[in-house]
Amino acid sequence: MLAFDLDDEKFDEITAAYDATPKQVRLAQHRALRRTAATLRKLSSKGLQSELGLRNAKALRRRLKEYRVGKGGSALKLWCGANDLPISSFKGRPRAVSGGVQVGDTTIHGAFFSKMQGKRRVMVRTDPKGRWSIAEATLPVADRMMTFLEENVFVDIDAIFFRHFNHEIRAATVLKIGEYKR
């Protein structure tokens, strides 16, 4: 889990600039946190699709989840599933070569083609002695995935949060959301 600390002085500066009430600040923080999580998921999905060479983002959408944690849901946890991805998720047409199947510049030794549910798939044997113990071939993506996320997505997390917070606190004060009723 990647934790980041926010600059309290910047919070106070933004809050004072808009003369926001404590309730407006709390509401803006929660909303900015949700919007930050959505932005991180979007950046991760788009970037990883091109970085890993995937056909579409469907395989990634299932692997990027956000959870609200902490007292009152004041913290955020972004979960990224880094299990191996099936060959069918990647761009390129698999072709048979001696000793296996090649997809792009990756060769899977011992792989073969099989037609399942009307689709041609790349399969490997899970038990070398078993005739029916086969599974779809997969490629490891964990290292490339985590490196990309750390270097490209999570470096700007505080700037993303403060951009959303500034927008939300401005909207809350202009629209008088959460103001005390007298």
Side-chain angles (χ1 to χ4, degrees):
M1 186 164 108
L2 182 70
F4 68 99
D5 294 324
L6 299 174
D7 187 12
D8 290 337
E9 292 175 6
K10 195 164 184 179
F11 263 123
D12 296 339
E13 181 182 310
I14 293 171
T15 304
Y18 291 108
D19 194 30
T21 65
K23 185 175 182 180
Q24 288 174 332
V25 172
R26 192 175 63 252
L27 291 172
Q29 281 178 337
H30 287 293
R31 186 152 164 83
L33 192 64
R34 284 197 317 266
R35 290 184 66 188
T36 302
T39 302
L40 290 176
R41 278 188 33 236
K42 183 177 77 171
L43 290 172
S44 300
S45 180
K46 284 183 177 183
L48 284 172
Q49 181 181 352
S50 63
E51 174 72 19
L52 299 175
L54 299 176
R55 289 183 194 276
N56 54 32
K58 181 179 176 184
L60 290 173
R61 267 187 252 122
R62 287 180 273 176
R63 294 167 175 261
L64 297 171
K65 302 285 183 197
E66 64 191 58
Y67 299 101
R68 303 211 19 138
V69 294
K71 187 174 182 177
S74 60
L76 178 79
K77 184 179 188 181
L78 187 66
W79 177 82
C80 301
N83 293 349
D84 299 348
L85 282 171
I87 291 292
S88 59
S89 299
F90 292 92
K91 287 181 184 175
R93 183 177 175 95
R95 58 188 177 99
V97 295
S98 62
V101 173
Q102 185 174 6
V103 180
D105 56 354
T106 305
T107 303
I108 301 154
H109 297 285
F112 57 93
F113 289 107
S114 176
K115 199 165 201 172
M116 296 186 124
Q117 299 172 346
K119 292 185 178 180
R120 185 176 167 209
R121 298 181 187 237
V122 178
M123 308 298 277
V124 292
R125 295 202 186 281
T126 56
D127 181 19
K129 295 184 180 184
R131 180 175 175 186
W132 298 108
S133 57
I134 60 173
E136 188 170 3
T138 59
L139 288 177
V141 295
D143 292 337
R144 291 190 302 165
M145 194 173 185
M146 292 305 156
T147 303
F148 176 81
L149 291 174
E150 288 172 1
E151 291 176 356
N152 298 320
V153 177
F154 294 138
V155 294
D156 297 333
I157 196 165
D158 53 346
I160 293 169
F161 177 79
F162 278 115
R163 185 178 70 228
H164 290 308
F165 179 71
N166 192 20
H167 175 79
E168 292 301 325
I169 199 74
R170 180 177 165 270
T173 54
V174 167
L175 298 174
K176 299 182 183 349
I177 297 172
E179 270 193 6
Y180 299 118
K181 296 188 180 180
R182 295 174 193 182

